[in-house]
Amino acid sequence: MPIANEFAPDVVLVSSGFDAVDGHAPPLGGYKLTAKCFSYLTRQLMDLAGGRLVLALEGGHDLTAICDASEACISALLGNEVKIACGNIDD
């Protein structure tokens, strides 16, 4: 984030594939990030560019994982409180 803040973008565009969400098996994913982690990341990105943030869903392979992560990101965009950081992936 320090580099992103220094760059000071006018807008932030994110290609949201959610392959890292828990539920995508290797080799398509295999990571254990929670939907709440994506919510946290969305809130972090909202601090850039005066909140001008575009999230574009570009794919994914597990419908439940995509839905959970998308819902968490939208919740963050709506200003709902995020109660977890990415380091707490077991929550």
Side-chain angles (χ1 to χ4, degrees), residues 11-67:
V11 66
V12 177
L13 305 173
V14 178
S15 175
S16 304
F18 300 123
D19 286 350
V21 175
D22 190 18
H24 283 97
L28 300 174
Y31 301 99
K32 301 291 183 182
L33 295 180
T34 64
K36 290 179 183 180
C37 180
F38 281 93
S39 177
Y40 174 81
L41 293 171
T42 300
R43 291 295 289 187
Q44 295 296 302
L45 291 174
M46 288 172 68
D47 290 339
L48 297 170
R52 291 179 297 277
L53 173 65
V54 176
L55 301 178
L57 181 61
E58 54 89 4
H61 306 281
D62 181 277
L63 187 56
T64 300
I66 294 168
C67 290

Side-chain angles (χ1 to χ4, degrees), residues 18 35 39 64-78 80:
F18 300 123
S39 177
T64 300
I66 294 168
C67 290
D68 291 346
S70 296
E71 181 181 9
C73 289
I74 291 169
S75 180
L77 289 170
L78 291 172
N80 296 328

